[in-house]
Amino acid sequence: MVDAINDKSGGYGALAEAVQAILGAESEAIVMYEQLLAVTDNEASRRTLCAIVAEERSHVAELKLMLSALCGEN
């Protein structure tokens, strides 16, 4: 994937597509962590999972900003 993104032509289409794919993966990860949260009552595990979900949501927000900039939606 990295070689396909390394396009010196000045276009960001491949990079934008990669960021969209990563956004999907981050979103899927959030769903999985939230599913784990729903089935565990172990407080240490819940704290860890909550922290991970917050971090993943931060990644999603950052990637959305990046995608917006790449697509010229500033």
Side-chain angles (χ1 to χ4, degrees):
M1 181 186 290
V2 174
D3 289 335
I5 294 169
N6 195 12
D7 180 8
K8 304 296 185 194
S9 68
Y12 296 110
L15 180 56
E17 287 179 24
V19 171
Q20 287 176 325
I22 295 167
L23 271 168
E26 295 281 359
S27 297
E28 287 179 29
I30 291 169
V31 169
M32 287 188 290
Y33 294 131
E34 288 176 336
Q35 289 173 343
L36 288 174
L37 270 166
V39 298
T40 186
D41 59 356
N42 179 283
E43 285 305 313
S45 295
R46 292 184 62 75
R47 282 191 301 274
T48 300
L49 289 166
C50 283
I52 293 170
V53 167
E55 185 69 25
E56 296 294 340
R57 286 184 177 150
S58 174
H59 293 169
V60 168
E62 292 170 9
L63 288 164
K64 284 182 177 180
L65 287 173
M66 183 179 175
L67 187 59
S68 177
L70 289 171
C71 294
E73 299 172 5
N74 296 342

